[in-house]
Amino acid sequence: MQDNDNHPVTIITGRVWEQKGADALGVHVLLVAPDDDTAVRSALEALAREGYVEAELDRIGDMDGVPDDEPHLTAYEGALAGEISIVTFEEPF
């Protein structure tokens, strides 16, 4: 378990591909990390472990509070517990 007292939950948004040439999925990665570089590296490693062949990350920031809705509420709680939580969704282009 990580020391979450000093670090807020970070959210990284972007797109991922399950196969080259396939349609992209939107992605939100929630985790706790000591800095942005570590957060991005950890997110990319977690996405690769989950089988995504490509990822394009757009934004990174700290969560302002606890999300109201699922699946982000569970992902937030997982991040506080030291997990790297991945939420994917169909993204209209």
Side-chain angles (χ1 to χ4, degrees):
M1 181 169 297
Q2 297 177 355
D3 176 13
N4 296 330
D5 294 337
N6 298 325
H7 303 291
V9 173
T10 298
I11 183 169
I12 302 172
T13 64
R15 286 169 297 290
V16 292
W17 287 263
E18 295 174 310
Q19 301 174 13
K20 291 215 182 265
D23 290 336
L25 295 172
V27 68
H28 292 166
V29 181
L30 284 73
L31 69 154
V32 174
D35 56 60
D36 288 354
D37 289 339
T38 303
V40 169
R41 187 172 42 257
S42 297
L44 290 172
E45 289 170 356
L47 291 166
R49 280 192 306 272
E50 290 298 314
Y52 296 102
V53 298
E54 190 173 344
E56 186 176 287
L57 305 179
D58 297 325
R59 296 180 149 214
I60 185 170
D62 295 334
M63 301 281 296
D64 288 334
V66 179
D68 294 327
D69 300 320
E70 292 295 348
H72 290 87
L73 176 58
T74 300
Y76 182 89
E77 291 169 349
L80 288 177
E83 300 172 5
I84 299 175
S85 301
I86 300 170
V87 176
T88 58
F89 51 92
E90 301 247 346
E91 185 175 63
F93 289 98

